[in-house]
Amino acid sequence: MIRALRVATLPVRYLRQVGLDQPSSGRQSYAEQHAALMEDGCQWADMWSTALRPLGWAMEEVVANARSLQTQWAAEAGVSFQESSWQLDILRAQVQRSQTEFLFLTEYATFPAAFVRSLREVAPSIRRIAIWCGAPYRNPAIFRECDVVLTCVPELQQHFVAEGHDCRRIDHAFDPRILLRLSDGEAETALGFVGSIVLRHQFHAGRERLLRQLAERVDLTI
C-alpha cells in the first residue's frame, strides 16, 4: 500500500458559501466536516483517492485553505499555529504526521517554493512530489521543487518537457458518482455544459465563441 497525500485549495467564494472559511466552531469534528465537503463534490473532492484505492494507494485529501476544517484538525491533533501563517503551519504538521510517500500538490500559486522544499525535511518519508498545472502560471520556482508535473494541456506538457521537467499528461475525466447524487441516474438533458468561462486576457475566448455559436444554431435552454 502506497501512502499518499493530495493537497488542494478551493475557491474562497465556495468555502464561504458552505461555511468553511472561518475558524472552526468545534460543533463538528474534522472527519464530519471533511466527509461533507467531499460529498459536495467541488472540483476533484475525493475522486483521486477513490480511483487510486483499488490500485493499492491509500490517499488522504487535504483542503489547505478550508479554515474551519484545518483549524479543527489542528485542535484535535494538538497542533499550534500562528494566525498569520495558519495555512502553512497546519499543512506542514499534516504532511509531517501523515508519513506520506507520495505528495501531490494540485495548487501551484499558493505555496512558496521554499515551503515545498521544507516539507521534504520535516517528512523524510516523502519519496516523490507531484504537482498539477492545467493553466498558464507566473512563477516557475515551485515546479523545480517537484519530481513530476501533471497536466491536461498538450501545449503545457511540451513546455514543461522543454524546461527539463518530467511531465505527464492526464486527460479530463468525470466521476459518475456525481450523477447519482444529483438525480436518479437518468440524464435530464441531451447536452450540458459544466465548466467556467474566464474572459480576462481572452483566456477562454474560443470557448465563448463555441458556446455562442451553439446558442445561435441549436434550441438551447440557458
Side-chain angles (χ1 to χ4, degrees):
M1 185 70 72
I2 300 173
R3 295 189 304 275
L5 183 71
R6 185 177 76 86
V7 178
T9 59
L10 293 177
V12 175
R13 182 178 297 178
Y14 167 76
L15 292 174
R16 188 178 301 123
Q17 288 175 344
V18 296
L20 295 180
D21 63 318
Q22 298 297 321
S24 176
S25 64
R27 289 194 295 269
Q28 285 188 310
S29 68
Y30 174 81
E32 290 171 325
Q33 293 186 55
H34 189 273
L37 184 59
M38 296 299 105
E39 178 71 15
D40 204 44
C42 183
Q43 293 188 357
W44 281 336
D46 62 344
M47 298 169 194
W48 282 89
S49 58
T50 300
L52 289 172
R53 191 175 301 118
L55 302 178
W57 290 63
M59 175 177 278
E60 297 180 52
E61 313 263 8
V62 168
V63 182
N65 67 332
R67 190 165 187 175
S68 177
L69 195 64
Q70 291 295 85
T71 54
Q72 182 62 34
W73 181 91
E76 294 177 10
V79 169
S80 59
F81 55 88
Q82 297 293 323
E83 186 64 25
S84 59
S85 57
W86 65 269
Q87 284 193 42
L88 301 185
D89 293 346
I90 297 174
L91 178 57
R92 183 183 292 107
Q94 287 174 315
V95 172
Q96 184 177 27
R97 297 192 179 199
S98 69
Q99 294 296 304
T100 187
E101 301 168 75
F102 185 87
L103 180 63
F104 183 20
L105 306 173
T106 52
E107 165 61 68
Y108 55 80
T110 299
F111 310 114
F115 171 75
V116 177
R117 189 183 316 123
S118 73
L119 294 180
R120 295 186 190 268
E121 300 173 2
V122 301
S125 60
I126 294 176
R127 296 167 57 187
R128 297 195 63 139
I129 298 179
I131 188 167
W132 177 270
C133 182
Y137 62 89
R138 293 183 178 179
N139 188 352
I142 190 172
F143 300 104
R144 292 193 286 267
E145 301 300 331
C146 301
D147 301 297
V148 62
V149 181
L150 303 179
T151 185
C152 58
V153 183
E155 293 82 2
L156 276 177
Q157 183 184 29
Q158 296 170 6
H159 163 76
F160 281 117
V161 170
E163 292 292 313
H165 295 284
D166 180 4
C167 183
R168 311 298 177 93
R169 177 178 153 197
I170 299 180
D171 291 329
H172 288 295
F174 178 75
D175 186 350
R177 295 178 301 165
I178 298 297
L179 293 178
L180 299 178
R181 296 173 190 171
L182 294 177
S183 67
D184 57 5
E186 296 294 330
E188 297 179 1
T189 58
L191 172 67
F193 169 75
V194 179
S196 57
I197 304 177
V198 179
L199 297 182
R200 64 179 181 272
H201 308 306
Q202 298 295 301
F203 192 68
H204 284 153
R207 184 176 297 182
E208 183 192 22
R209 284 195 301 271
L210 174 61
L211 291 174
R212 287 188 180 279
Q213 290 170 2
L214 284 172
E216 292 171 357
R217 302 177 184 179
V218 182
D219 183 18
L220 295 179
T221 298
I222 300 177

